[in-house]
């Protein structure tokens, strides 16, 4: 029998957690209910977030193998930043969305980031309009600090149009511009009287502007999470790949040199993306020197949790067991009988079953292990006459493989 105390969780959050994990994706809410281990890593990023909230800047890389939990960790970091009073953005890179491009790739990534803009009270994205309305409540805010930043003249003008205009159409046009939805100068000039729009050349300058904007609106800063940086590693055209790495170097230099206020950036990637000397970040000497890991820590058998590069280890078997207990508690917050019907003995038997089916993959890349467990709980809830031991032999568990092997990107 479980000795865990019940938790109080909103039914909406509980259902979102379960639906997401059963679909193989990271939940956008309630991560604190299921997080296990990695206390030192979390503590390091809390310090990072505090630095940004105090007006500093940061850029960190989270490096881990496929299935190590990078996406979950980045989502947790965003949630922690929101709790600290920061606004957050998050997006995944892809062949069509990257840091540098000449065919809309950087603009599309920026647009997705802006669409994801979230706060503690609006965690599901699309917080741009509420943030602007919050700024409008200040009366006539001073936008001069926006105008002083690179690209800030047009940006501040469009923000001013949104704040002062009484035309619904003009305000909607301003919102579209601020969400990087314009693609031509002609359209921007026609609708708003500005000759610029947020395009491929504006990715990092725009992040600086949005960090300043959210601070003007009363938030402590902006925290940006970018995942799937391996897509830069996959670019076969060396010139294009180098251009993306140069943009990343510019971002890193500006944050390290203290030229930016209230902006944190965390990037998620695989080990080969970092260390491959032919195509990875280490192929660019300036990045290799700045991202070199603490040699003293390595020689002493220690881990430097505060270095720019944080290597994320896979979950251990013990941590996965605790994770299943947490998931059982989340499920039982809506169906209390689950705690009795799935005792600790069942968890241990389930993990043994997974090991027999797929070996150590059950805890090294546990997505399908988690999904199978929640499928079991769902059936037990729907069929009160069934027991876990009779359903266990029918659970299908497959090895979780990387769905995106090394492929090429468009030039």
């Amino acid at each position: 029998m479980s000795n865990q105390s019940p938790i109080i969780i909103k039914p909406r959050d509980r259902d979102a957690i379960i639906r997401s994990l059963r679909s193989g994706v990271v939940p956008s809410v309630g991560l604190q209910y299921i997080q296990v281990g990695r206390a030192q890593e979390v503590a390091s990023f809390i310090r990072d977030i505090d630095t940004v909230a105090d007006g500093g800047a940061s850029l960190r890389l989270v490096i881990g193998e496929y299935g190590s939990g990078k996406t979950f960790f980045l989502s947790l970091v965003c949630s922690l930043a929101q709790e600290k009073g920061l606004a957050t953005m998050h997006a995944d890179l892809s062949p069509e969305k990257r840091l540098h491009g000449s065919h809309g790739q950087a603009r599309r990534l920026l647009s997705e980031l802006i669409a994801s803009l979230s706060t503690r009270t609006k965690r599901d994205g699309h917080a741009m309009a509420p943030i602007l309305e919050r700024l409008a409540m200040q009366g006539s805010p001073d936008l001069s600090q926006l105008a002083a930043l690179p690209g800030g003249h047009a940006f501040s003008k469009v923000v001013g149009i949104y704040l002062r205009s009484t035309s619904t159409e003009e305000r909607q046009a301003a919102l579209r511009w601020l969400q990087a939805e314009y693609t031509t100068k002609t359209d921007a000039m026609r609708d708003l009287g500005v000759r610029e729009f947020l395009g491929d050349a504006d990715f990092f300058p725009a992040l600086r502007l949005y960090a300043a904007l959210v601070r003007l609106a009363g938030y402590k800063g902006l925290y940006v999470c970018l995942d799937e940086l391996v897509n830069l590693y996959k670019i076969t055209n060396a010139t294009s790949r180098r251009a993306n790495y140069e943009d990343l170097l510019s971002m890193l230099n500006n944050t390290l040199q203290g030229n930016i206020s209230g902006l944190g950036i965390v990037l998620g990637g695989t080990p080969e993306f970092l260390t491959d000397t032919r195509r990875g970040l280490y192929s660019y000497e300036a990045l290799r020197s700045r991202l070199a890991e603490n040699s003293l820590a390595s020689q002493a058998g220690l881990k430097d949790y505060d270095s720019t590069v944080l290597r994320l280890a896979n979950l251990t078997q013990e941590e996965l067991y605790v994770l299943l207990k947490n998931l059982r508690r989340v499920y039982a917050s809506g169906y209390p009988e689950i705690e009795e019907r799935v005792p600790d003995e069942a968890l241990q038997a389930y993990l043994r079953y997974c090991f027999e089916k797929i070996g150590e993959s059950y805890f090294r890349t546990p997505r399908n292990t988690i999904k199978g467990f929640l499928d079991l709980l769902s059936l037990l809830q729907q069929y009160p006459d069934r027991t876990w031991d009779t359903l266990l032999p029918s659970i299908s568990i497959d090895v979780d493989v990387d769905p995106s092997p090394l492929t090429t990107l468009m030039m």
Side-chain angles (χ1 to χ4, degrees):
M1 183 182 298
S2 168
N3 59 4
Q4 287 185 299
S5 59
I7 58 173
I8 299 175
I9 178 173
K10 295 178 182 178
R12 181 181 62 183
D13 290 348
R14 170 197 169 277
D15 292 344
I17 293 169
I18 294 169
R19 280 197 306 270
S20 297
L21 292 175
R22 290 188 69 187
S23 300
V25 299
V26 175
S28 60
V29 296
L31 299 179
Q32 69 274 21
Y33 298 118
I34 56 178
Q35 163 67 15
V36 297
R38 294 173 177 157
Q40 293 272 30
E41 291 91 336
V42 171
S44 169
F45 272 84
I46 289 176
R47 290 191 292 272
D48 208 50
I49 291 166
D50 287 339
T51 295
V52 175
D54 289 339
S58 169
L59 188 147
R60 305 281 301 276
L61 278 77
V62 175
I63 300 297
E65 300 282 359
Y66 173 77
S68 62
K70 290 188 303 297
T71 300
F72 183 95
F73 188 80
L74 294 184
S75 297
L76 178 64
V77 167
C78 277
S79 179
L80 293 171
Q82 291 166 9
E83 290 299 321
K84 291 278 189 174
L86 282 74
T88 66
M89 294 177 173
H90 71 272
D92 292 348
L93 272 68
S94 74
E96 296 77 30
K97 295 174 295 182
R98 57 201 202 206
L99 305 178
H100 181 96
S102 56
H103 302 289
Q105 297 99 326
R107 185 197 62 79
R108 282 191 288 270
L109 178 60
L110 179 61
S111 183
E112 182 170 326
L113 280 172
I114 299 166
S116 76
L117 185 61
S118 301
T119 65
R120 181 167 46 197
T121 57
K122 188 166 177 56
R123 296 180 180 270
D124 57 349
H126 305 288
M128 175 56 69
I131 286 173
L132 290 170
E133 294 299 332
R134 177 169 170 165
L135 183 60
M137 293 174 62
Q138 299 180 15
S140 300
D142 181 8
L143 303 181
S144 60
Q145 59 182 285
L146 294 178
L149 292 171
H153 178 72
F155 189 90
S156 62
K157 182 176 180 179
V158 174
V159 171
I161 290 172
Y162 184 93
L163 298 180
R164 293 188 294 268
S165 179
T166 58
S167 165
T168 301
E169 291 78 10
E170 194 171 41
R171 282 166 60 89
Q172 285 300 313
L175 189 59
R176 286 182 53 223
W177 192 99
L178 292 168
Q179 292 174 161
E181 295 177 12
Y182 276 85
T183 57
T184 68
K185 294 181 179 180
T186 302
D187 290 344
M189 186 65 185
R190 180 195 63 221
D191 295 345
L192 295 163
V194 296
R195 296 185 181 278
E196 295 85 12
F197 64 94
L198 295 175
D200 280 337
D202 302 306
F203 181 78
F204 186 53
L207 295 186
R208 296 183 63 180
L209 287 165
Y210 281 104
L213 177 65
V214 300
R215 294 182 78 199
L216 272 179
Y219 296 93
K220 293 184 178 180
L222 177 66
Y223 212 78
V224 179
C225 295
L226 290 168
D227 202 0
E228 302 297 340
L229 269 290
V230 70
N231 280 286
L232 302 184
Y233 171 76
K234 293 177 183 177
I235 301 174
T236 55
N237 182 279
T239 301
S240 179
R241 187 171 63 247
R242 184 177 180 86
N244 276 269
Y245 289 170
E246 286 174 349
D247 278 12
L248 198 157
L249 176 63
S250 175
M251 294 163 61
L252 180 61
N253 285 340
N254 276 276
T255 52
L256 290 176
Q257 293 167 0
N259 298 329
I260 301 172
S261 297
L263 176 61
I265 301 172
V266 57
L267 311 172
T270 57
E272 59 268 26
F273 158 69
L274 175 68
T275 60
D276 190 313
T277 56
R278 187 173 62 90
R279 302 168 58 115
L281 295 184
Y282 277 15
S283 67
Y284 195 144
E285 182 55 39
L287 282 170
R288 181 174 184 170
S289 62
R290 286 163 177 78
L291 300 176
E293 298 175 65
N294 188 329
S295 59
L296 175 59
S298 299
Q299 293 170 8
L302 303 173
K303 185 171 182 177
D304 184 355
Y305 293 98
D306 289 335
S307 65
T308 301
V309 175
L310 175 68
R311 288 187 177 269
L312 203 64
N314 294 71
L315 289 180
T316 65
Q317 299 175 67
E318 294 77 12
E319 287 169 340
L320 180 57
Y321 176 70
V322 175
L323 174 57
L324 294 188
K325 294 182 77 171
N326 289 346
L327 291 172
R328 182 180 60 185
R329 292 180 72 204
V330 169
Y331 209 102
S333 68
Y335 303 97
E337 66 275 12
I338 286 294
E339 288 276 9
E340 298 291 337
R341 297 183 62 199
V342 186
D344 291 353
E345 173 194 353
L347 304 187
Q348 296 161 3
Y350 175 70
L351 293 179
R352 286 196 299 271
Y353 174 81
C354 291
F355 177 75
E356 292 168 0
K357 287 289 185 180
I358 60 174
E360 290 188 348
S361 293
Y362 86 90
F363 69 89
R364 295 191 183 280
T365 52
R367 189 197 320 258
N368 289 341
T369 303
I370 293 167
K371 182 182 182 301
F373 180 68
L374 291 173
D375 287 347
L376 172 63
L377 299 189
S378 177
L379 288 178
L380 289 173
Q381 177 259 313
Q382 295 177 65
Y383 297 93
D385 58 321
R386 305 300 295 269
T387 60
W388 67 265
D389 53 329
T390 59
L391 290 173
L392 183 59
S394 301
I395 298 176
S396 176
I397 301 291
D398 298 316
V399 175
D400 186 18
V401 296
D402 188 344
S404 56
L406 185 60
T407 56
T408 61
L409 298 187
M410 297 298 292
M411 292 176 53

